[in-house]
Amino acid sequence: YSDHKSGSFYKYISEPSGFYEITVFANGYETKTVQIEAKTSGFTTANIELSPDSKKKYSAISVDAIRVSDDLSYSEYSSILGIHDSIGIPLGCNGIDRSFITVDMGLSTIITDREGFDFTVYSTNNDTYSVSLANSIDSIFEKKSIIWTGQGTTSFDLEKCSLDSARYIQISSTGGCPIIDAVECEPR
């Protein structure tokens, strides 16, 4: 699992020792991929230093609420985190009504209103979904948030609503089975 506040990452593996490829990313930093060797017993530590990148887009840092399927593992629903990579989470499949996922863009990397589009929801197919925005997690669930409709990969502009910033994004299936890959916004 990952701790987005401290940058710590832990992965428990039951496979035999060997080489593993790890990709590390953080908002405002270049993505870095390294190969580490895991030993048969004990812990393997890899300290990976990232270089600042002020032009890199920000992406969601945590999944705060989800109603998709009882059989999804953390690695499957965490695929929405990070930059778009064509690996997504299906919403509304498996016969589950009102499927949704709520992500946190982070306190220091919120979406802000600027000229043009402010954030993009990446989807790997063209099924429709709704997007709700709020600055508190409670507002998302009180239905006091802004709602848009998207289809496939869609960019949105906060100028078209009453918010000038947003931290939480809830994406809900509106029919079909949209496969949501990532949420990204421009750096402030």
Side-chain angles (χ1 to χ4, degrees):
Y1 78 95
S2 295
D3 180 344
H4 67 274
K5 293 178 183 170
S6 69
S8 296
F9 171 80
Y10 304 93
K11 170 83 173 162
Y12 298 99
I13 53 174
S14 58
E15 292 90 21
S17 62
F19 288 92
Y20 293 86
E21 193 171 88
I22 298 174
T23 300
V24 182
F25 60 89
N27 286 331
Y29 293 88
E30 292 179 6
T31 299
K32 189 174 194 176
T33 300
V34 297
Q35 193 174 68
I36 63 159
E37 182 178 8
K39 308 292 184 199
T40 350
S41 62
F43 292 97
T44 299
T45 301
N47 293 314
I48 303 166
E49 191 171 318
L50 301 179
S51 301
D53 182 355
S54 62
K55 296 178 184 170
K56 182 179 175 184
K57 291 184 177 185
Y58 293 154
S59 57
I61 62 168
S62 71
V63 174
D64 287 353
I66 186 166
R67 182 176 192 265
V68 177
S69 168
D70 293 335
D71 59 355
L72 284 179
S73 71
Y74 175 79
S75 62
E76 290 171 306
Y77 67 75
S78 65
S79 64
I80 195 172
L81 303 178
I83 59 173
H84 66 282
D85 57 8
S86 299
I87 301 171
I89 180 168
L91 299 179
C93 307
N94 306 325
I96 297 189
D97 293 332
R98 297 179 313 278
S99 293
F100 68 86
I101 187 164
T102 303
V103 296
D104 182 356
M105 294 303 287
L107 185 57
S108 61
T109 55
I110 61 173
I111 298 168
T112 56
D113 188 17
R114 55 182 31 143
E115 187 150 336
F117 293 116
D118 300 309
F119 71 100
T120 302
V121 174
Y122 289 87
S123 176
T124 63
N125 64 13
N126 280 325
D127 288 352
T128 59
Y129 52 88
S130 66
V131 176
S132 302
L133 300 177
N135 281 306
S136 75
I137 192 76
D138 295 333
S139 294
I140 285 277
F141 293 104
E142 292 171 1
K143 303 297 179 204
K144 295 179 181 176
S145 57
I146 304 307
I147 298 179
W148 285 298
T149 300
Q151 181 176 11
T153 296
T154 305
S155 295
F156 299 92
D157 186 355
L158 291 183
E159 185 178 328
K160 308 225 183 300
C161 72
S162 59
L163 294 175
D164 55 1
S165 67
R167 177 174 172 179
Y168 297 94
I169 300 174
Q170 186 174 88
I171 303 164
S172 304
S173 171
T174 57
C177 181
I179 301 173
I180 306 302
D181 176 13
V183 178
E184 293 181 2
C185 68
E186 296 294 329
R188 291 190 267 172

